[in-house]
Amino acid sequence: MFGFAGVIKLILSAFIILPVVSIIREGGYLIASHLLGASSSKVTVGCGPKVFNIGVFEVRRYYFMYSWCSYDSLKFDKKWAHIIIYSAPILSNIIVAIGVNALLAVDGIPMESFWTQFIFYAFYFVLFDFLPVYYPDGQPSNGRVIYDLVRHNKFPDFEKEGE
């Protein structure tokens, strides 16, 4: 039954766990793009008006709703480099989720319920990143970008509007 404890879990999930998992995901992009010589890398967390910047991180008012990583160009602008970049968010969430799970297994961290939810959302992001689909707005998933790069040697056509 969904009671007060469920409401607390929902609030923790929406306003803490999901944004942290998003930051880990976008951090995968950021690290990979940086290693491959990206210029002007930036991670944006949330949507709506900009609230503040901390280094390469931009936080927007609705920080719990959306996130993305952007960069201007790559030093190594090759197919393999783009495959690494689009694989990085998937791998970053898998690595962190497995690490947290290992710590839970050896009683290395408290609050098992919180961390179980964290692992769930990390793999939730992995699932939807990995599936080779186009989202309703026409944006390709990371899995779709990787598929098109490997299978057709091209990027899917998508132009982000606004922001």
Side-chain angles (χ1 to χ4, degrees):
M1 184 163 167
F2 194 78
F4 182 71
V7 171
I8 298 299
K9 283 183 178 182
L10 175 64
I11 290 170
L12 282 172
S13 293
F15 297 107
I16 296 173
I17 294 172
L18 283 174
V20 169
V21 171
S22 290
I23 290 169
I24 291 166
R25 177 183 182 273
E26 302 307 329
Y29 280 123
L30 188 65
I31 291 167
S33 64
H34 178 73
L35 292 173
L36 295 167
S39 63
S40 302
S41 296
K42 178 174 85 169
V43 169
T44 303
V45 178
C47 59
K50 181 171 68 169
V51 178
F52 61 87
N53 285 346
I54 300 175
V56 298
F57 289 93
E58 178 181 282
V59 178
R60 297 190 176 207
R61 179 178 294 160
Y62 307 108
Y63 69 93
F64 51 89
M65 291 185 65
Y66 190 67
S67 63
W68 69 92
C69 181
S70 59
Y71 53 87
D72 289 337
S73 63
L74 287 177
K75 181 178 178 182
F76 303 102
D77 196 6
K78 304 285 185 202
K79 179 170 86 169
W80 61 266
H82 290 283
I83 290 170
I84 290 170
I85 289 171
Y86 284 92
S87 298
I90 297 167
L91 294 173
S92 64
N93 272 341
I94 288 172
I95 290 166
V96 170
I98 289 173
V100 168
N101 195 55
L103 288 171
L104 285 173
V106 297
D107 293 326
I109 51 177
M111 298 177 11
E112 182 177 342
S113 176
F114 175 86
W115 292 109
T116 301
Q117 280 183 273
F118 179 90
I119 294 167
F120 171 83
Y121 285 109
F123 281 115
Y124 174 85
F125 272 66
V126 167
L127 173 66
F128 286 100
D129 262 347
F130 186 74
L131 291 174
V133 298
Y134 288 99
Y135 297 122
D137 67 353
Q139 183 176 358
S141 68
N142 289 338
R144 184 66 203 204
V145 172
I146 294 165
Y147 174 80
D148 284 345
L149 280 168
V150 170
R151 177 88 172 153
H152 304 292
N153 202 28
K154 69 176 185 98
F155 278 105
D157 292 330
F158 179 75
E159 193 71 30
K160 184 172 173 34
E161 295 178 15
E163 303 303 330

